[in-house]
């Protein structure tokens, strides 16, 4: 919404940062938080990788997720020039009249394949398992199987990437052996892992490492965690809608909860 020709993630973040600066927001970048501890008085202490510490009355966790990467040589080299983790209008235009590969067996992979088939000459969906029944909605898998522009290859995975400055071909492997197919784009849709390792000691997580909030965490606010004063919004929150617009909305709403908590401590 508001970007009819698309916008890169970097540009979107930069615009948001400039706007936040106008309201006096202080940024500490780039810094990685190694641990978060709660003090006896209820405040929180965040320790950065460089050893510095910051005290806070409340914490909002918006660390998102890290897309799972495949153990393939040269993967990082082709990220952004052939390896993608999202299928948007920008990538679809780049793939017009070419053959593309989508790796994954979940709904996100299926939706990406359907979307790309509108512009690509052919879409090859690589699935490690021998069925989509347990990982993809039946209506979606039926549409994929019926689309002549999409080929589903079961028991298949990518093992090699080839090209110069841009991706040109991919070697794929199944029980029949290896073969190389020409392709300018591979869309990796094998899930994502939340960035919550530094939080495990303080808040409750689900079995996949996402932060539990609301009723599941025994809290009243839908964004409150099991530890009073810590909130989670966006992709890192269990059960959240994994979309930018939803994350932005959650981030704006949670601030009222933060101020209520801070006022309750008598620190506002």
């Amino acid at each position: 919404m508001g970007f009819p020709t698309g916008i890169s993630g970097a540009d979107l973040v930069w615009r948001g940062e400039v706007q936040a600066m106008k309201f006096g927001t202080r940024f500490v970048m780039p810094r990685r938080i190694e641990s978060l501890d709660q003090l006896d008085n209820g405040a929180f202490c965040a320790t950065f990788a460089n050893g510095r510490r910051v005290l806070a009355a409340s914490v909002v966790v918006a660390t998102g997720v890290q897309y799972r990467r495949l153990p393939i040589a040269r993967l990082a080299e082709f990220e952004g020039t052939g390896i993608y983790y999202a299928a948007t209008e920008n990538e679809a235009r780049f793939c017009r009249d070419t053959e593309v590969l989508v790796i994954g067996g979940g709904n996100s992979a299926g939706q990406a394949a359907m979307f790309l088939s509108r512009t690509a000459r052919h879409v090859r969906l690589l699935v490690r398992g021998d069925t989509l029944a347990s990982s993809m909605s039946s209506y979606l898998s039926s549409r994929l199987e019926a689309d002549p522009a999409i080929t589903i290859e079961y028991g298949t995975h990518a093992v090699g990437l080839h090209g110069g400055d841009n991706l040109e071909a991919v070697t794929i492997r199944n029980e029949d052996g290896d073969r190389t197919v020409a392709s300018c784009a591979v869309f990796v849709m094998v899930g994502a892992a939340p960035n919550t390792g530094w939080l495990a000691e303080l808040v409750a997580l689900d079995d996949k490492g996402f932060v539990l909030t609301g009723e599941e965490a025994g809290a009243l606010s839908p964004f409150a965690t099991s530890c009073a004063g810590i909130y989670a919004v966006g992709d890192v929150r269990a059960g959240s809608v994994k979309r930018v617009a939803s994350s932005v909305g959650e981030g704006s709403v949670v601030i009222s909860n933060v101020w209520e908590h801070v006022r309750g401590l008598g620190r506002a």
Side-chain angles (χ1 to χ4, degrees), residues 9-74:
D11 286 341
L12 182 61
V13 170
W14 168 243
R15 293 187 188 190
E17 185 177 350
V18 171
Q19 185 172 353
M21 287 178 178
K22 292 178 62 178
F23 291 95
T25 303
R26 296 175 60 192
F27 290 87
V28 183
M29 298 172 62
R31 291 289 184 269
R32 180 184 296 274
I33 291 182
E34 294 290 341
S35 62
L36 183 67
D37 302 295
Q38 188 168 28
L39 307 180
D40 293 338
N41 64 357
F44 300 97
C45 178
T47 302
F48 293 133
N50 63 357
R52 297 189 63 181
R53 296 185 296 174
V54 173
L55 297 178
S58 182
V59 176
V60 177
V61 180
T63 48
V65 298
Q66 183 70 42
Y67 292 109
R68 290 193 174 95
R69 286 166 166 76
L70 299 174
I72 305 176
R74 303 186 70 186

Side-chain angles (χ1 to χ4, degrees), residues 144-167:
L144 293 172
E145 292 168 351
D147 194 326
I150 299 174
T151 298
I152 304 175
E153 299 202 17
Y154 295 103
T156 307
H157 59 282
V159 295
L161 304 173
H162 315 281
D165 293 333
N166 298 290
L167 182 67

Side-chain angles (χ1 to χ4, degrees), residues 2-251:
F3 303 101
T5 59
I7 184 171
S8 71
D11 286 341
L12 182 61
V13 170
W14 168 243
R15 293 187 188 190
E17 185 177 350
V18 171
Q19 185 172 353
M21 287 178 178
K22 292 178 62 178
F23 291 95
T25 303
R26 296 175 60 192
F27 290 87
V28 183
M29 298 172 62
R31 291 289 184 269
R32 180 184 296 274
I33 291 182
E34 294 290 341
S35 62
L36 183 67
D37 302 295
Q38 188 168 28
L39 307 180
D40 293 338
N41 64 357
F44 300 97
C45 178
T47 302
F48 293 133
N50 63 357
R52 297 189 63 181
R53 296 185 296 174
V54 173
L55 297 178
S58 182
V59 176
V60 177
V61 180
T63 48
V65 298
Q66 183 70 42
Y67 292 109
R68 290 193 174 95
R69 286 166 166 76
L70 299 174
I72 305 176
R74 303 186 70 186
L75 183 77
E77 180 181 339
F78 287 118
E79 287 180 340
T81 59
I83 299 295
Y84 305 100
Y85 298 93
T88 69
E89 190 64 38
N90 287 337
E91 288 82 17
R93 286 198 294 267
F94 174 73
C95 298
R96 185 174 299 278
D97 298 326
T98 66
E99 175 159 334
V100 302
L101 276 66
V102 177
I103 300 176
N107 283 339
S108 60
Q111 291 164 356
M114 289 298 304
F115 176 71
L116 293 166
S117 67
R118 302 174 188 173
T119 54
R121 182 178 69 252
H122 188 79
V123 176
R124 195 183 299 267
L125 179 63
L126 307 185
V127 182
R128 272 187 174 272
D130 56 6
T131 180
L132 292 173
S134 61
S135 58
M136 185 181 295
S137 301
S138 58
Y139 82 92
L140 183 56
S141 60
S142 298
R143 290 184 62 189
L144 293 172
E145 292 168 351
D147 194 326
I150 299 174
T151 298
I152 304 175
E153 299 202 17
Y154 295 103
T156 307
H157 59 282
V159 295
L161 304 173
H162 315 281
D165 293 333
N166 298 290
L167 182 67
E168 298 173 6
V170 181
T171 297
I172 59 178
R173 177 178 297 167
N174 58 22
E175 60 181 9
D176 297 324
D178 294 358
R179 70 184 189 277
T180 300
V181 296
S183 179
C184 68
V186 174
F187 294 83
V188 182
M189 303 288 182
V190 293
N195 299 311
T196 55
W198 56 285
L199 272 174
E201 300 295 327
L202 277 181
V203 303
L205 309 176
D206 69 6
D207 57 352
K208 296 180 180 178
F210 289 88
V211 180
L212 294 174
T213 59
E215 293 184 4
E216 292 184 320
L220 297 177
S221 164
F223 309 116
T225 69
S226 59
C227 181
I230 300 181
Y231 302 85
V233 297
D235 290 5
V236 75
R237 187 174 68 83
S240 66
V241 178
K242 304 301 188 278
R243 293 292 184 272
V244 171
S246 175
S247 299
V248 172
E250 292 182 7

